[in-house]
Amino acid sequence: MRINNKGKIILGLLSFFLITPLVVFYVLDGAGVFDTRSRAGTTEELPEALKKADLNGDNKITISDFGIWLSSYRDYKANPAAFAARADLNSDGAITIMDFSLWLNAYREFKGTNEPGSGGDLAGLVNYNWGNGSDGDFVVSGNVDIDAQTEKCTVGGFAPSYNVMSFASDGKSATVDSTPGTCLKAGDEVLVINVQGGGTYDNVGNHEILKIDSVTGSTVKFTAAKVKFYGSSSGTDAGIGKGCGSQVVVMQRIPQFKNVTINADKTLSAKAWNGDKGGIVVFKASGTVNINGSISVAADGFRGGLKNNTSGSSGEGMSSCSVASGIANFGGAAVGAFGGAYATRVDGTGPGLVYGVADLSKLYLGSGGSSVKRSGDRLSRAGGAGGGLVFILANDINVNGTINATGANGTVRNSTTQPRGAGSGGSVKLVGDNVVLGTNKILVNGGTTYGLGGTGRIAVYYSSVISGSTTPSFYSKQFPK
C-alpha cells in the first residue's frame, strides 16, 4: 500500500510525539539524572512538598508524571492558551524548564536520592525565575539602601525582612517576629534563609524562594510548602528563633523589578547584619540589570569581635555569634586578632575554619575577625566585619561597575599598634540568561590588615551567554533555557 505525502506527514508527527518522551527519558537516565530504583509498595501519603510533582494523582512520582508535564509543556509552547496549571509547579503563570527543575528535584527526593539541602536539583535552581516586574523600573540615582523607607513600605522599603519564629508542621506557613501589615502581600516572593546557627550548623545556608498566598497578623502563608529544613539538626525546624543560641532564619521580600539601572558613582546597598537580620541584597528583574555604579555589601556580614571588653572577643561566624575569649568556630576567628575565614583561611594560627560550598547551593555571609587587647590598650578594639550577600536573578545582568562584598580591616588604636583581625569576603550569586561580568569587577576579598580575612565566593548560573573574569575565579553552570 502506498502512502501519500499527507499520510507520511501524519505518521512522522505521530512518531515524533510518541518517541520523543522515551528518547528524553533514555538520554537523561543514561546521564544519571533519573534514579530508577523501585518504590513499589509505597502506601504512605506523599509529603506536602512533593505533591505538586504527582501530576496524575496516584500518590507516586514516576515517569508517567514526567510524560504529563512534557505534554503540557509542548502544548503551552505551541499555544500559551493551552496553559495547564498542574504543570506550573512554581506558580509563576508559565510552564518553563524551571518547572521541570522542581519536578526533577521532587522525583529524586521521592526515590530517596536527593536529601533537602544537598544541592542536587538542576543547577541549584529551585523556584528560580526573573519575576513579574511588578515593582516597575528601578533607577539608583543616589546612594540608597534597598531596605530603606519607601512609600511601598515604611519599614524595610522594597525589601522588608523578618525573623522566622516557627514553621507550620505542613511547611505551608511561617510565623514571623512582627506583623508585616501591607509590607508583604499575596503574590510577593520572599527569600527564606538560615543565616546563623546557635552552635550547630547542619541547616545553616539553606535557602529557598517562596511565594506568598496570604498574610494574617504575623502568620505568612505560602502558595506551596517549603522543601528545606531550617532547624538545629538535619530534617527538623526545631530551635528557630532570635538571638545568640538560636537558629536565626530570615524571611526577606524579593523586589520584582522590570529593569534596574545603577548610575555611575552611585551605590545600592543594604543595612548591615545586626545579629538578627541584614547584610543581604536580593532582587529579581524581568528585563535588564545595568550596574554602572556599585552594589555594595562590603563589611555588612557577620560582625567582628567586640571592642571595649577586657580580653577580646571572637568574630561572628555562620555557626556562632561573638563571645568573649572565644575559640575559632566555622568562620569567626578566635580571640587574638586573627582573620575570619570563608572559602579560604589566610592566617596560620587561630582563624575561623573554612566553610561553604563553591556552587552557593548554600548561601552565607562572610565572617568576622577577632578583637584583642594589646599592650597599651585599656580595652580591646573591634575586629573587622565580613562581607554580606548579593543575590540577583534577572534576564540580563551587566556588571559595568562593581559588586562589592569585601570584608573589613580590623581597627587600630594608632599607627604604632597592630590592627585587629580582618573580616572575610562574602557571597555573590548571579542567575540570568545573559551575564556579563567584566574583568575583576566582582569583589569578595577579605580585609588586608594584620590577621588577614579569608576569601569569599562567587557563583554564576546562566542559560545563554556568560563572559568576563573574576578574582577569585567564579563557579559557573549553564542551565537549559
Side-chain angles (χ1 to χ4, degrees), residues 432-455:
D433 183 16
N434 303 293
V435 182
V436 179
L437 303 174
T439 301
N440 293 333
K441 294 180 180 295
I442 299 180
L443 312 174
V444 293
N445 297 320
T448 58
T449 54
Y450 179 83
L452 299 174
T455 303

Side-chain angles (χ1 to χ4, degrees), residues 8 16 20 35 50 76 88 95 109 207-208 256 263 266 275 318 330 343 373 388 394 426 437 445 477:
K8 291 179 181 178
F16 174 80
T20 299
D35 174 5
L50 302 184
Y76 176 75
D88 178 20
I95 302 174
E109 188 168 336
H207 66 282
E208 60 192 295
Q256 299 191 59
N263 289 344
K266 306 304 177 185
M318 64 90 159
F330 278 97
K373 181 182 176 183
L437 303 174
N445 297 320
K477 188 164 187 176

Side-chain angles (χ1 to χ4, degrees), residues 451-464:
L452 299 174
T455 303
R457 300 182 190 270
I458 305 167
V460 183
Y461 295 90
Y462 68 101
S463 56
S464 293

Side-chain angles (χ1 to χ4, degrees), residues 2 18 25 69 134 153 242 251-252 271 344 418 446 471:
R2 297 183 63 184
L18 288 172
F25 178 78
W69 181 87
S134 58
C153 178
K242 292 177 67 174
M251 178 190 296
Q252 181 165 321
K271 292 183 175 65
T344 64
Q418 290 178 319
T471 303

Side-chain angles (χ1 to χ4, degrees), residues 17 50 136 205 215 232 300 308-309 347 395 414 419 446-447 457-458:
F17 283 107
L50 302 184
V215 180
S232 55
D300 284 342
N308 294 336
N309 62 21
D347 264 334
N395 190 47
N414 58 50
R457 300 182 190 270
I458 305 167

Side-chain angles (χ1 to χ4, degrees), residues 348-363:
T349 307
L353 306 179
V354 173
Y355 62 100
V357 287
D359 65 0
L360 292 183
S361 56
K362 287 196 170 191
L363 290 173

Side-chain angles (χ1 to χ4, degrees), residues 55-343:
L55 301 185
N56 62 3
D58 64 354
N59 198 43
K60 295 182 290 185
I61 303 175
T62 67
I63 190 61
S64 296
D65 300 300
F66 171 69
I68 293 171
W69 181 87
L70 185 62
S71 177
S72 300
Y73 173 78
R74 284 182 180 147
D75 291 345
Y76 176 75
K77 285 296 185 181
N79 179 14
F83 173 77
R86 64 179 175 175
D88 178 20
L89 273 67
N90 64 1
S91 303
D92 65 351
I95 302 174
T96 68
I97 197 65
M98 303 301 181
D99 299 301
F100 172 70
S101 168
L102 288 176
W103 182 88
L104 180 58
N105 194 43
Y107 177 89
R108 284 172 166 171
E109 188 168 336
F110 177 73
K111 292 293 185 181
T113 63
N114 188 26
E115 291 298 321
S118 68
D121 49 314
L122 180 63
L125 302 176
V126 179
N127 279 2
Y128 287 5
N129 55 62
W130 318 141
N132 57 22
S134 58
D135 286 307
D137 290 335
F138 183 44
V139 178
V140 178
S141 56
N143 298 327
V144 298
D145 289 344
I146 198 167
D147 47 7
Q149 178 177 333
T150 66
E151 293 181 1
K152 177 174 287 292
C153 178
T154 57
V155 180
F158 284 111
S161 60
Y162 309 88
N163 285 110
V164 175
M165 305 307 292
S166 65
F167 288 103
S169 58
D170 62 3
K172 290 184 175 180
S173 65
T175 301
V176 294
D177 63 328
S178 61
T179 302
T182 58
C183 292
L184 292 180
K185 64 182 187 302
D188 281 351
E189 291 185 334
V190 290
L191 173 70
V192 174
I193 177 172
N194 183 327
V195 180
Q196 187 178 63
T200 61
Y201 49 85
D202 289 10
N203 292 321
V204 178
N206 279 359
H207 66 282
E208 60 192 295
I209 295 172
L210 298 170
K211 190 173 183 178
I212 294 177
D213 178 74
S214 62
V215 180
T216 305
S218 60
T219 299
V220 180
K221 183 179 179 181
F222 311 123
T223 58
K226 68 179 183 64
V227 300
K228 297 191 177 180
F229 292 106
Y230 298 91
S232 55
S233 60
S234 180
T236 180
D237 290 318
I240 293 173
K242 292 177 67 174
C244 191
S246 297
Q247 299 290 313
V248 181
V249 179
V250 172
M251 178 190 296
Q252 181 165 321
R253 181 181 184 271
I254 300 175
Q256 299 191 59
F257 299 120
K258 290 182 180 177
N259 299 293
V260 175
T261 302
I262 301 174
N263 289 344
D265 300 321
K266 306 304 177 185
T267 300
L268 175 66
S269 56
K271 292 183 175 65
W273 170 254
N274 64 9
D276 290 325
K277 62 191 74 168
I280 300 174
V281 171
V282 55
F283 63 85
K284 292 185 174 186
S286 58
T288 300
V289 175
N290 284 314
I291 305 169
N292 301 318
S294 176
I295 295 177
S296 179
V297 289
D300 284 342
F302 291 129
R303 297 167 294 185
L306 302 176
K307 64 179 180 179
N308 294 336
N309 62 21
T310 57
S311 58
S313 301
S314 63
E316 277 189 307
M318 64 90 159
S319 64
S320 179
C321 53
S322 177
V323 293
S325 301
I327 62 173
N329 56 60
F330 278 97
V335 171
F338 301 118
Y342 182 14

